[in-house]
Amino acid sequence: MSDQSVPDPYDALLLLSFGGPEGPDDVVPFLENVTRGRGIPRERLEEVGQHYFLFGGVSPINDQNRELLAALREDFAEHGLDLPVYWGNRNWAPYLTDTLREMATAGHRRVLTLATSAYASYSGCRQYRENLAASLAALEAEGLPLPRIDKLRHYFNHPGFVEPVAEAALTALAGLPEEVRKGAHLAFTTHSIPTASADTSGPPEGHGDGGAYVAQHLDVARLIAEAVRGSDGVERPWRLVYQSRSGAPHIPWLEPDICDHLEELHGAGAPAVVMVPIGFVSDHMEVIYDLDTEAMAKATALDLPVARAGTVGADPRFVAGIRELVLERAAAERGEEVRRCALGDLGPSHDVCPVGCCPGRTPKPAAAGADDPYAGAAR
């Protein structure tokens, strides 16, 4: 079995996230980064930016990543794991390319990446891998030595992710008025994506209706619903629903939307609802606006009691789970026998994304997978 404090062959961990504005002047430039190449007019970006301006032009995601970064460093130090942790974003400072340049200049040659997305999809996995490849191409053009980059497996069903979310669902349930608590429905929410993207999420052999994206979320939802039932013996109705749709109206996206679902439940006589955002690692803008602002306003208009469960954030169990995943992958790279923790029916996800996994509309190079053009780097 593996040594539980040896990160070899890795010499650094990269926390890779989406990024977000940190002041009013950042909002439109940030949205221009997010939508680059799509030809979206500035007026539309300013309209979308109103969500951020409601919160002073600041997305909470960067502070939440700073908290997670500090927690990872503290946990690693407490457990004798000598592995520096860096942070880079796709769409705002600290930018991924700048962070990888810093890492390469510091001499790091085998980098393991933790993306702040737990599930398989183009936007939740492959796009991060494409960003890594683009950053490596930029470093190559600068003549810098390139690190070899791998990515941690999807952790949607790791106990360190599932257990804090289940506890948060129970906490939210306990916050409902006692007279409606027993009959409360559970609404498990995640980011809506185009159905075509969902259908091709995960390895090619699993492509089909909803693909890995829907299957993984359903597995987590079942686990949490079972945990809630186990707490008081009450079988509560539940459904996987979606939020944060942003695409053109004529393109089919995953449904139902959380607000439509609240209307449906109210019409059916549901006494209360607990929203459980299983698709998100932290309480960033899509949680505090789409759920805490928009969905809560809908619930208020319906006079429907609703509570929202928290996300994992920097929960110590999640942080410990990341450490376990790092050591698991390191041991696997060394050719050692490893025990892979996973709850539910799907089992542990793959270490290396296969060819054809979560394809985009336009083929682009992607690092940290079976089709990685930089796989031979730092060998």
Side-chain angles (χ1 to χ4, degrees):
M1 296 297 290
S2 61
D3 185 325
Q4 294 304 299
S5 63
V6 177
D8 298 342
Y10 298 108
D11 55 27
L13 177 69
L14 169 65
L15 173 63
L16 176 56
S17 194
F18 193 80
E22 301 200 76
D25 293 342
D26 297 344
V27 172
V28 172
F30 162 73
L31 292 173
E32 287 173 338
N33 287 342
V34 173
T35 61
R36 182 168 286 117
R38 301 184 201 172
I40 298 176
R42 184 180 179 89
E43 299 76 36
R44 174 58 181 153
L45 297 180
E46 290 174 347
E47 180 182 335
V48 173
Q50 294 307 312
H51 297 178
Y52 291 93
F53 291 128
L54 286 174
F55 300 91
V58 178
S59 167
I61 193 169
N62 277 354
D63 277 345
Q64 289 162 2
N65 280 321
R66 290 184 184 100
E67 184 181 1
L68 179 57
L69 185 72
L72 286 166
R73 287 170 173 166
E74 181 178 355
D75 178 272
F76 286 6
E78 288 177 353
H79 290 85
L81 180 58
D82 185 15
L83 194 71
V85 188
Y86 292 77
W87 168 39
N89 288 325
R90 288 170 47 189
N91 299 298
W92 201 249
Y95 288 104
L96 172 59
T97 301
D98 295 336
T99 299
L100 283 181
R101 183 184 297 111
E102 178 186 357
M103 297 174 79
T105 302
H108 296 296
R109 296 296 176 263
R110 286 297 300 271
V111 174
L112 191 55
T113 300
L114 161 65
T116 54
S117 174
Y119 301 85
S121 69
Y122 172 73
S123 57
C125 184
R126 173 133 193 137
Q127 193 169 18
Y128 282 93
R129 295 176 50 225
E130 291 177 356
N131 295 143
L132 286 166
S135 292
L136 288 172
L139 299 190
E140 186 175 42
E142 296 172 13
L144 291 172
L146 302 184
R148 162 72 184 273
I149 298 181
D150 292 328
K151 181 177 175 291
L152 284 177
R153 65 177 171 92
H154 301 301
Y155 46 85
F156 64 94
N157 57 0
H158 192 281
F161 182 78
V162 175
E163 291 173 2
V165 178
E167 183 178 289
L170 289 168
T171 299
L173 183 65
L176 287 171
E178 186 175 358
E179 63 271 18
V180 300
R181 196 177 304 154
K182 186 174 181 179
H185 288 232
L186 304 176
F188 296 102
T189 77
T190 190
H191 205 301
S192 183
I193 61 175
T195 56
S197 180
D199 293 346
T200 57
S201 57
E205 63 270 17
H207 289 177
D209 189 15
Y213 187 74
V214 171
Q216 291 170 358
H217 280 88
L218 285 173
D219 206 35
V220 172
R222 278 190 290 267
L223 286 166
I224 296 171
E226 289 169 4
V228 172
R229 183 181 68 242
S231 70
D232 60 8
V234 177
E235 184 79 39
R236 290 182 172 81
W238 64 269
R239 187 171 183 181
L240 176 64
V241 300
Y242 302 92
Q243 60 175 91
S244 312
R245 175 183 172 138
S246 59
H250 68 280
I251 298 175
W253 282 52
L254 293 172
E255 296 177 335
D257 178 79
I258 177 61
C259 289
D260 294 337
H261 184 57
L262 293 177
E263 281 196 3
E264 179 185 347
L265 290 180
H266 177 259
V273 180
V274 174
M275 299 185 295
V276 188
I278 60 173
F280 306 93
V281 170
S282 66
D283 286 8
H284 53 62
M285 184 59 67
E286 287 167 322
V287 175
I288 65 170
Y289 181 79
D290 295 334
L291 294 183
D292 293 352
T293 306
E294 201 169 49
M296 284 295 186
K298 171 64 72 174
T300 299
L302 295 170
D303 197 23
L304 177 66
V306 170
R308 197 266 290 174
T311 52
V312 295
D315 186 285
R317 290 163 292 184
F318 179 54
V319 174
I322 296 304
R323 170 171 39 84
E324 292 169 7
L325 287 167
V326 167
L327 292 170
E328 170 198 294
R329 181 61 183 275
E333 288 293 306
R334 297 194 300 267
E336 298 175 11
E337 179 185 355
V338 293
R339 176 177 173 269
R340 300 174 183 270
C341 286
L343 303 175
D345 298 331
L346 298 181
S349 187
H350 47 262
D351 278 342
V352 179
C353 293
V355 175
C357 194
C358 304
R361 287 178 295 177
T362 303
K364 295 179 183 178
D371 52 355
D372 184 352
Y374 298 100
R379 283 187 180 273

